[in-house]
Amino acid sequence: MSKSSSLYLSGLKKDFSFLTQENNNLPKWSQSNLKKTQTIKKIVCGSPPHFLVWKKPNKLEFYQKGKKKRKYQLSKNETIKDIVSSYYTYQILTESGKVWSLADGNHRFKEVPLLDADQSTFEKIRPVTFFEEKKLFVNSLIMGSGSCYYLCNGDQLYASGSNHQGKLGIGKHRDTELMPVYVQDKVTKIFGGVCAMNFFFVTRNPDLLYGCGNNIYGELGIGSDENPYTPTAVKNIKGSEILTVSSCVFYSVLITNKGQTFSCGYWRFNGHGVQKTIFTLIPQLKDKKAVQLATGSNRNLVLTDQNELYGWGFDDFFPTNKPKNKKNIPTKISLPGFFTNYLGSKDMIQIACGSKFCFIYLDFKNKLSQDLRILFESKKFCDCEIGTLGNQIPVHKNLIECRTKLPIDQIQNKLFVEKSINKEQTLNFLKWIYYDEISDIEKLEQTFNSLELTFPPSVDNTLENDIAQLYKDDDSKDFKILVKIDNDDEDQEEENEEGNYEEIPVHKFILYARSGLFRAMFDYVNEKENTNKIQDYTHKSIKSLEILIKYFYTNSIELKADKDTKLIVDELSDAVEYYQLNDQCNFESELMKIKKQFDLN
């Protein structure tokens, strides 16, 4: 993995040749030549052949045809929350509620009137100071063709830029720097798109959607092709909570929380083949549960919960085994061979779409697979072996059993006594066990059949879910962390020093894989003796450590309100650095949710 890119792209060869060393004839996926693609958090496309890559935790890289790669990084006290784009402008939102911009200030379209007049041509990231001056905390933002929306101070909606065809929802006013937008109910989410000519707003009632902007082909879904100039209720989605909406030129697509895909607008790009003035379920996707949506300049991608990819619109660079369809209805797109290795990994595959190319890549959200890959290669704390005589491979019994739901003895017997699979096939199986990778899908299927396991693994049988379930298995935990308890009674403390500790049970391999601090502690202790317990010297409360240990398994932070809530949050705040966690971005994101939940910012 470290030697190969997890980012693939497809598009017009003349536009993306600078991103790959492959010489493929379209349509075909090409592996990018970008480095360290495992750290990619999000790819955001502009309309010309350029795009911005957000790498964890806070780094940005900009790629443009005919130009050298540019690198940017915000100050250490700023954490990126989201990035949006339009044709020639990118805006970066940070957790502090501030907005930053990266734009082509020399272009004749000034897409964000709030930017400084001397905005350079993608040379620097600049702060948009307007919001701080007006004491507005920006919760979310969205862009479209020459227009921007900002949700501020929780539920205050503002818009700026071009008001052509009523895109700003402020009536027939001229273009503006910033004006409040009035919707009949409080807005909770806002949606647009790179080339959006219209915008949508979700309110406190999650199935009530409003839209405004261009509506020449019925792309607002309000039941007509009239331009309302102010936010108007969308029809035909009552009872369906909105997951996401993406609008482009002359059409719109939305996904509900049930995975249904609806669209409306111009027949050529809406996936129906006929014009629709209300959001209508796309027939080819009615039996599919969509989880992601990407649109860009009349090209559309939908990813399902089974990691199936569908595309329609301008399909000139969609890799598909079927001939082009004149009605542009959704067609299944072939995944790059690399991604068949991750069919069991829910939420890892990500998609992005621009005007000149589309992307597919892996987002290692919690780095659990990377942590366990390191564990597998290190062979630390293995407690058994599998394989034929002379070819045994050290493994971790609890991990093998939690992934297969089979006793290790049964696995050994079925694979190496009854079948006698070779070492190559064994390693192929263990790669799936430890980090969900499938090097050879046919050999893995043979192994699953030998074990009488269902193949392919279901989307619920992922590494993340299995490790989360392992947390509940106290009987298999082979290690204890001793946490010293403060005791005001000095006489009692002297009487029984051992009694002044509480124990947190845990799997030793989990600690080793997920924390640099515990790795160092284990290495020191093991020089002297092999022990099944270790004392924690971090002076953290037992509640904080219990929450942290559970996070190692579940990748989520759970905390109930009590008198120690602020103390626990404060102790967890330095956990990334103190415990040397690998997944800094995810842990800090989880902690931010807790701070917001208990108003501790």
Side-chain angles (χ1 to χ4, degrees), residues 82-106:
D82 196 13
I83 303 173
V84 298
S85 67
S86 183
Y87 286 99
Y88 305 99
T89 307
Y90 299 84
Q91 290 193 83
I92 300 112
L93 176 65
T94 60
E95 294 286 357
S96 63
K98 298 177 182 177
V99 179
W100 308 73
S101 70
L102 181 67
D104 184 353
N106 295 329

Side-chain angles (χ1 to χ4, degrees), residues 14 25 117 185 222 229 241 282 312 347:
K14 63 184 180 64
N25 294 318
D185 199 356
I222 60 175
Y229 289 96
E241 185 175 340
I282 298 178
W312 72 95
D347 296 334

Side-chain angles (χ1 to χ4, degrees), residues 279-429:
F279 277 101
T280 306
L281 186 66
I282 298 178
Q284 287 74 18
L285 300 175
K286 67 178 181 179
D287 297 324
K288 306 295 181 180
K289 184 176 180 180
V291 293
Q292 281 189 62
L293 169 66
T295 63
S297 190
N298 303 324
R299 294 177 173 89
N300 311 277
L301 292 174
V302 165
L303 186 71
T304 73
D305 64 337
Q306 297 297 319
N307 287 337
E308 295 177 323
L309 188 63
Y310 291 84
W312 72 95
F314 281 152
D315 58 356
D316 50 351
F317 57 61
F318 287 161
T320 175
N321 295 325
K322 296 183 179 181
K324 295 180 181 180
N325 57 82
K326 294 182 179 180
K327 287 190 175 182
N328 286 319
I329 58 177
T331 303
K332 189 173 181 179
I333 297 174
S334 305
L335 289 174
F338 179 90
F339 288 86
T340 61
N341 297 353
Y342 294 88
L343 290 177
S345 298
K346 191 176 181 181
D347 296 334
M348 287 184 70
I349 294 181
Q350 302 293 309
I351 54 176
C353 204
S355 63
K356 301 296 183 181
F357 29 63
C358 56
F359 296 95
I360 182 167
Y361 58 101
L362 294 177
D363 177 10
F364 296 90
K365 287 182 170 59
N366 51 48
K367 291 200 174 183
L368 178 59
S369 60
Q370 292 189 40
D371 289 348
L372 291 180
R373 173 190 285 268
I374 294 171
L375 176 72
F376 176 63
E377 293 174 351
S378 73
K379 301 294 187 290
K380 285 281 189 177
F381 307 122
C382 294
D383 49 8
C384 66
E385 295 179 336
I386 62 172
T388 56
L389 185 64
N391 287 307
Q392 294 98 332
I393 299 174
V395 295
H396 299 84
K397 175 176 176 287
N398 289 322
L399 180 58
I400 301 287
E401 293 184 342
C402 89
R403 302 250 32 217
T404 62
K405 313 299 186 292
L406 296 173
I408 193 73
D409 292 341
Q410 185 176 338
I411 295 172
Q412 174 69 20
N413 184 61
K414 284 185 175 292
L415 295 184
F416 306 105
V417 178
E418 296 179 7
K419 295 290 182 180
S420 189
I421 67 173
N422 60 31
K423 187 172 184 178
E424 180 183 358
Q425 191 169 342
T426 306
L427 288 171
N428 184 60
F429 174 59

Side-chain angles (χ1 to χ4, degrees), residues 35-66:
K35 297 179 179 179
K36 297 182 179 180
T37 53
Q38 294 92 335
T39 63
I40 291 177
K41 174 72 174 177
K42 186 178 182 180
I43 294 178
V44 185
C45 301
S47 183
H50 56 66
F51 60 96
L52 189 63
V53 177
W54 170 12
K55 288 191 172 181
K56 305 169 187 175
N58 223 28
K59 297 180 180 180
L60 296 168
E61 294 178 356
F62 182 73
Y63 295 86
Q64 184 178 16
K65 181 182 178 181

Side-chain angles (χ1 to χ4, degrees), residues 379-383 478-480 508-509 512 521-534:
K379 301 294 187 290
K380 285 281 189 177
F381 307 122
C382 294
D383 49 8
D478 56 356
F479 195 77
K480 294 175 182 177
K508 194 171 187 178
F509 78 86
Y512 186 87
M521 294 169 76
F522 288 145
D523 290 342
Y524 173 76
V525 169
N526 283 345
E527 289 178 0
K528 299 179 179 180
E529 60 178 320
N530 187 17
T531 179
N532 64 349
K533 62 179 65 175
I534 197 167

Side-chain angles (χ1 to χ4, degrees), residues 12-22 33 65:
L12 301 176
K13 185 176 178 181
K14 63 184 180 64
D15 291 319
F16 77 81
S17 58
F18 71 102
L19 296 170
T20 180
Q21 295 177 351
E22 297 183 9
N33 56 18
K65 181 182 178 181

